[in-house]
Amino acid sequence: MATSPLSPRLLRGAIVALDPANPLASVILFQYNPETMTRSLTPRTAGADLSAQGKSDLDPTEAKRISGPPKESISLKMAIDATDRLEQADTMAVTLGIHPQIATLEMLMYPKTLSVLTNSAMSKAGTMEIVAMEAPLTLFIWGGNRILPVRVDRMDIEELAYDVNLNPIRADVDLTLEVLSYKDLKLASLGGALFMAHQVSKELMATMESLKNVSSIAKGVAGSIPLL
């Protein structure tokens, strides 16, 4: 599935997991950019927050108040294929197929082994309070205008073909990502700052579009006024 050398060079999407305990970040570069992506946004209103707390007598004015950025989820399908690597006799592809790529994706949802062993030892030592294991900061990168902190909400892996050793060599992965905003992360954190930068970028683009539309309306109105 190699591309023509005459084809324009396209940016490839990526998922990057940043772990302070592991300087070598997990980088998952899309082998082929998905052709479609579904984004779902749910407004975060003050009224809805109060309703979730079981409060039935809501002030009507709360319906117009926004308590934070919308809750957003992203759904997309990744295609993973070892065909090109197998044709090039890539050692890892010949030996393991696409196991390494799938493992890198799956590890976004696993706690680190060291953390599991440490917590187990602390539990056996009688430690009363064990700190919950923290996942690395995961970033969804889709061009320069979308660098978002996310959490993997769901992953469905459909293995489509295998080699003679039953290593998967082709698969489709359906990913559902939950975008984490400064409502979920501390604003002063890296993830919170990245989301705020994303929001500022949206505001600037929306303002540019509004100015363009206002200019078009003004020209249309001016053109419809008859000259005396």
Side-chain angles (χ1 to χ4, degrees):
M1 300 181 72
T3 58
S4 167
L6 299 179
S7 300
R9 184 176 180 181
L10 300 177
L11 290 176
R12 286 195 282 173
I15 297 175
V16 178
L18 304 177
D19 185 356
N22 181 10
L24 183 61
S26 296
V27 178
I28 301 160
L29 197 64
F30 289 99
Q31 188 175 2
Y32 313 105
N33 280 341
E35 295 183 359
T36 63
M37 178 170 61
T38 301
R39 299 170 54 240
S40 300
L41 287 81
T42 304
R44 205 187 303 249
T45 61
D49 290 345
L50 292 173
S51 179
Q53 296 171 16
K55 298 179 181 180
S56 56
D57 298 330
L58 301 179
D59 185 340
T61 61
E62 294 295 326
K64 296 188 294 182
R65 299 185 185 278
I66 300 176
S67 63
K71 299 176 183 178
E72 180 179 354
S73 65
I74 297 173
S75 300
L76 53 89
K77 177 175 287 189
M78 287 183 62
I80 307 175
D81 197 324
T83 301
D84 289 348
R85 292 185 178 184
L86 291 173
E87 289 178 352
Q88 298 167 6
D90 180 89
T91 303
M92 186 174 293
V94 171
T95 306
L96 297 172
I98 58 173
H99 270 308
Q101 292 94 318
I102 292 177
T104 306
L105 277 169
E106 291 181 353
M107 286 309 300
L108 295 173
M109 305 175 72
Y110 277 78
K112 295 294 184 182
T113 302
L114 180 59
S115 298
V116 174
L117 297 176
T118 300
N119 278 3
S120 177
M122 291 173 64
S123 177
K124 290 179 180 178
T127 302
M128 296 299 295
E129 182 177 357
I130 297 176
V131 178
M133 290 168 280
E134 185 176 352
L137 174 63
T138 302
L139 303 178
F140 174 65
I141 302 175
W142 192 262
N145 290 317
R146 282 189 189 147
I147 302 177
L148 295 169
V150 297
R151 176 170 52 216
V152 179
D153 187 55
R154 183 181 177 88
M155 185 184 302
D156 295 309
I157 302 170
E158 183 180 8
E159 297 179 357
L160 301 171
Y162 300 89
D163 64 14
V164 293
N165 296 315
L166 294 183
N167 292 311
I169 56 174
R170 190 160 56 89
D172 285 338
V173 182
D174 289 303
L175 280 175
T176 302
L177 308 172
E178 178 186 352
V179 177
L180 301 178
S181 69
Y182 47 78
K183 186 80 172 179
D184 309 295
L185 307 167
K186 293 181 179 179
L187 182 57
S189 67
L190 175 59
L194 285 172
F195 185 88
M196 179 57 78
H198 173 70
Q199 178 171 317
V200 170
S201 174
K202 277 181 174 290
E203 289 176 347
L204 290 173
M205 289 188 289
T207 300
M208 291 166 59
E209 179 66 13
S210 295
L211 290 173
K212 177 182 176 183
N213 291 338
V214 168
S215 176
S216 297
I217 292 173
K219 289 179 180 179
V221 171
S224 64
I225 298 176
L227 296 176
L228 297 179

